[in-house]
Amino acid sequence: MRAFVYNVVLTIFWMAVTEAFTLENFLVGFAISFLILLLARPLFDAPSRRYFTLAWKLPRFVLLMLWEIVLSSLRVAQAVLSPRLPIKPGIIAYPLEVKSDLEITLLANLITLTPGTLSLDVSSDRKVLYVHGMFVDDPQKVIESTHESLEKAVLEVTR
């Protein structure tokens, strides 16, 4: 967290020195400050170094989520436009590997954001997430697919 604060402070200093308080200048200053702090990374304690690894993981996470949304949107659109409506809805008891409130909430929201799926509930012991899906031909395949894409991405970003 401290590295992020330094990044923002250096960015504000950049904007003051260049006398341009625009979004473009903020982004340029933020990038330059990040590169300077990246070079000084050995001077930071271990928790502050997490900022630099997260800066690489977060864009990858966002791209993965956008890709999942596009793929599922196309599948839902294909099903809706098909003359026979080839859906097989079902509710899956998804075993959770994520543990913290943040991780469970993030995974449940990502599942809900993906078209064709909806997070319904979390078990009282917080080990199972109940998910409704439009295409539940093989529940085990859906569980494996969700674990390999969304849950692994959540774990990578939060741990």
Side-chain angles (χ1 to χ4, degrees):
M1 187 64 172
R2 195 170 55 178
F4 176 72
V5 172
Y6 289 153
N7 201 352
V8 171
V9 168
L10 284 172
T11 301
I12 292 170
F13 180 73
W14 168 266
M15 292 173 73
V17 167
T18 59
E19 296 179 356
F21 293 93
T22 63
L23 177 62
E24 295 85 11
N25 197 36
F26 176 83
L27 294 175
V28 168
F30 196 84
I32 291 171
S33 301
F34 181 82
L35 292 174
I36 291 169
L37 292 173
L38 189 62
L39 293 172
R41 184 173 49 173
L43 301 175
F44 289 100
D45 57 351
S48 293
R49 287 187 201 146
R50 181 164 164 31
Y51 171 69
F52 300 104
T53 58
L54 190 59
W56 302 119
K57 291 178 181 180
L58 202 55
R60 184 171 162 227
F61 176 76
V62 170
L63 288 175
L64 172 74
M65 193 56 219
L66 290 173
W67 178 250
E68 289 291 330
I69 289 172
V70 167
L71 285 181
S72 57
S73 295
L74 292 172
R75 187 167 185 202
V76 169
Q78 179 186 20
V80 170
L81 296 174
S82 152
R84 285 188 278 139
L85 202 61
I87 64 171
K88 186 171 183 199
I91 295 178
I92 300 168
Y94 180 81
L96 292 171
E97 189 177 319
V98 295
K99 301 290 181 218
S100 72
D101 287 341
L102 172 67
E103 293 170 341
I104 292 171
T105 302
L106 187 56
L107 178 62
N109 285 329
L110 290 176
I111 288 172
T112 298
L113 279 172
T114 307
T117 57
L118 177 69
S119 300
L120 300 174
D121 195 16
V122 178
S123 65
S124 57
D125 63 358
R126 299 168 37 140
K127 294 186 179 197
V128 176
L129 177 66
Y130 296 97
V131 178
H132 177 274
M134 279 181 66
F135 308 100
V136 187
D137 300 327
D138 181 8
Q140 190 59 35
K141 186 178 175 186
V142 174
I143 289 171
E144 289 170 5
S145 170
T146 303
H147 175 72
E148 288 301 315
S149 61
L150 299 179
E151 191 169 24
K152 276 191 173 180
V154 168
L155 288 172
E156 187 177 304
V157 168
T158 57
R159 292 187 182 171

